Amino acid sequence: MVFIGFSINIEAGKSTALVGQSGSGKSTIIGLIERFYDPLKGAVKIDGRDIRSYHLRSLRKHIALVSQEPALFAGTIRQNIMYGASEDIDESEVIEAAKAANAHDFIAGLKDGYDTWCGDRGLQLSGGQKQRIAIARAILKNPAILLLDEATSALDSQSEKVVQDALERMMIGRTSVVVAHRLSTIQNCDTIAVLDKGKIVEKGTHSSLLAKGPTGAYYSLVSLQRRPNNSEIN
Ligand SMILES: Nc1ncnc2c1ncn2[C@@H]1O[C@H](COP(=O)(O)OP(=O)(O)O)[C@@H](O)[C@H]1O
Ligand SMILES: [Mg+2]
């Protein structure tokens, strides 16, 4: 049992970050919103309605997920970026999305460009390249709900910065749930919820949680990630 008596309210149009140690249940919340599985008891509601009452495909039409190990499908890079987006997408929109995800340059550098085959027996892409394709896919889909579960974890810090900017622009005015190991990437979120052993132990903004001082759960997580020679938390 991961959650017992668990409750969280995620505000529409705002970004909510889930932080906490590995195994605290962050990905489980993402999985419940996606309906990869249903709770044994209780309900997940969107717009006040149990998500089990929505048609699964229409529910997922409004959700985009970028995870730590994104799946690429057997098909071209172009098809992988367009996957799940509406039918009438033109080439320039695909390229715009790829540029925003910092993926265009490496794709354009491939011999077959956007026609490069990936997935099973396709091109071997690095984890970071797959994540950028998945981010381009999410940007193109333009969903009402954006789920990011360690979405930039495979990127080096230089590409992470660029992609982070694109993701933050995408989060504006959109219901977003963000899980990130590197806490520096979630500090601008509207709300940060700290999970510990399947419970929410703190909730607030970056500055309000830091203001709790050394006894605070968020403060402790941030301190753990601070480099030893970095005397200031900001
Ligand atoms: N597929 C699974 N089957 C059984 N237990 C799982 C599965 N996935 C995760 N868990 C367990 O659920 C708990 C929460 O995991 P998870 O939501 O993945 O945590 P986090 O994303 O915060 O690291 C952990 O105790 C983990 O071992
Ligand atoms: Mg996880």
Side-chain angles (χ1 to χ4, degrees):
M1 210 70 89
V2 180
F3 295 126
I4 298 172
F6 179 83
S7 178
I8 184 170
N9 185 48
I10 293 165
E11 209 178 327
K14 295 275 164 77
S15 54
T16 301
L18 305 173
V19 307
Q21 284 175 353
S22 167
S24 57
K26 306 179 296 291
S27 297
T28 302
I29 294 176
I30 303 283
L32 286 166
I33 298 170
E34 278 275 8
R35 274 203 79 195
F36 292 151
Y37 32 73
D38 289 325
L40 298 173
K41 272 189 187 166
V44 180
K45 292 179 182 173
I46 295 178
D47 293 341
R49 213 175 109 182
D50 191 329
I51 57 172
R52 281 171 292 202
S53 73
Y54 293 108
H55 184 258
L56 190 58
R57 195 171 291 170
S58 5
L59 171 74
R60 290 190 182 153
K61 204 178 266 174
H62 299 290
I63 303 177
L65 166 68
V66 183
S67 60
Q68 190 162 14
E69 287 164 25
L72 294 189
F73 303 100
T76 63
I77 289 183
R78 180 186 295 99
Q79 287 166 340
N80 265 284
I81 294 177
M82 290 173 67
Y83 194 89
S86 64
E87 310 280 277
D88 51 349
I89 294 286
D90 62 46
E91 184 74 9
S92 66
E93 293 171 277
V94 174
I95 292 173
E96 274 317 300
K99 281 184 177 163
N102 196 20
H104 175 74
D105 287 349
F106 91 77
I107 297 169
L110 298 169
K111 181 169 66 69
D112 295 322
Y114 284 83
D115 292 315
T116 304
W117 193 264
C118 40
D120 269 0
R121 277 167 290 165
L123 179 75
Q124 290 297 312
L125 293 168
S126 74
Q129 289 173 329
K130 284 189 200 169
Q131 274 193 326
R132 283 179 281 172
I133 291 175
I135 289 165
R137 181 193 291 159
I139 290 171
L140 194 63
K141 190 172 182 182
N142 192 24
I145 297 174
L146 176 65
L147 305 175
L148 304 174
D149 191 353
E150 311 270 9
T152 57
S153 57
L155 304 184
D156 57 77
S157 52
Q158 192 54 42
S159 349
E160 182 173 45
K161 234 177 239 141
V162 182
V163 171
Q164 185 67 30
D165 286 345
L167 290 175
E168 285 193 8
R169 273 198 303 278
M170 197 183 168
M171 280 189 247
I172 296 169
R174 200 187 300 268
T175 309
S176 318
V177 184
V178 191
V179 176
H181 181 68
R182 259 165 288 189
L183 297 177
S184 55
T185 61
I186 55 92
Q187 61 188 32
N188 294 327
C189 284
D190 296 305
T191 304
I192 298 170
V194 185
L195 275 90
D196 187 29
K197 301 188 189 77
K199 292 221 153 36
I200 290 180
V201 292
E202 273 179 9
K203 207 173 171 188
T205 62
H206 174 74
S207 52
S208 76
L209 293 179
L210 277 189
K212 287 174 181 273
T215 55
Y218 182 72
Y219 188 103
S220 310
L221 287 173
V222 172
S223 308
L224 278 175
Q225 286 192 5
R226 234 178 0 162
R227 280 175 304 165
N229 60 351
N230 193 356
S231 59
E232 214 178 341
I233 298 178
N234 37 45

